[in-house]
Amino acid sequence: MLPPSSFQRSLLCVLICVASQAWPNRSASADGPSLLRMFQPRGRVAADATSAYKLTEVEGPWMILAYTFVGEGSQGRAQKLVLEIRENLNLPAFVHEQDFDFSGDVKLGAAIKQTSYQESVARQMRYRNEIRYQAHAVLVGEYDRVDHPQIESDLARVKSASSVVLGDEK
């Protein structure tokens, strides 16, 4: 029997990878992002009103920033926009929550050169306007690289889409 050629070995590796991804009874442990996900045909994106669709480390790493909501009711409005994008545009969308705290003191450690020696001086500053708030960003897509071929068309779809949430005067 002849040893397998490099083509046959490569084909065997690809088949093993595909079979391991398609096997229905995989382990119950949490799987990381699948590299083969980008080769699978895109089906219908889930849009369940009871799901939070919070951004995790699995999504991305490149995404489109669709909108940012700030202030009271921002989380609910962001969630509604995520559902609209998922239902109407069939694109994966997620909510990212960020807390901003501009109150209290800020310590800046700066190395300042003195006359004959160097001394590290810590400066203490205050914000001019002390404010705290939460912002909720709506991020769209799950792109593996910045030059992904689908980004431009998805960006055009997001920009031209009409939204009930964004049209609301409240």
Side-chain angles (χ1 to χ4, degrees):
M1 182 172 196
L2 295 173
S5 69
S6 62
F7 174 75
Q8 290 171 333
R9 285 191 301 260
S10 299
L11 183 62
L12 180 63
C13 289
V14 169
L15 289 175
I16 289 172
C17 289
V18 169
S20 67
Q21 290 295 320
W23 194 261
N25 295 325
R26 295 193 327 217
S27 66
S29 66
D31 292 333
S34 170
L35 293 176
L36 295 177
R37 179 173 57 180
M38 68 179 131
F39 297 114
Q40 296 173 350
R42 188 187 288 185
R44 191 80 189 141
V45 175
D48 183 16
T50 60
S51 296
Y53 298 114
K54 292 197 180 232
L55 185 66
T56 63
E57 292 180 6
V58 176
E59 291 84 31
W62 296 98
M63 304 183 96
I64 297 170
L65 174 63
Y67 204 83
T68 303
F69 296 97
V70 178
E72 195 173 316
S74 62
Q75 183 175 11
R77 294 181 73 195
Q79 184 64 27
K80 287 179 185 177
L81 183 59
V82 163
L83 287 174
E84 278 188 29
I85 291 171
R86 285 177 164 265
E87 288 173 353
N88 300 340
L89 301 178
N90 194 32
L91 293 172
F94 305 93
V95 175
H96 175 66
E97 181 178 317
Q98 183 73 39
D99 293 322
F100 293 95
D101 184 7
F102 298 108
S103 63
D105 295 334
V106 180
K107 293 182 181 179
L108 301 174
I112 300 174
K113 292 185 180 179
Q114 297 290 326
T115 54
S116 62
Y117 61 94
Q118 292 183 359
E119 182 179 333
S120 181
V121 177
R123 293 181 163 195
Q124 194 165 3
M125 301 173 69
R126 293 184 80 66
Y127 291 104
R128 182 176 176 145
N129 298 320
E130 292 189 7
I131 188 171
R132 299 169 94 175
Y133 64 90
Q134 281 187 336
H136 294 86
V138 176
L139 301 166
V140 178
E142 294 179 310
Y143 310 107
D144 58 345
R145 60 188 192 275
V146 71
D147 60 346
H148 193 279
Q150 195 67 34
I151 289 179
E152 291 297 324
S153 62
D154 288 351
L155 179 61
R157 289 176 58 201
V158 169
K159 282 183 174 183
S160 64
S162 62
S163 170
V164 175
V165 176
L166 298 179
D168 187 12
E169 294 296 324
K170 296 178 187 176

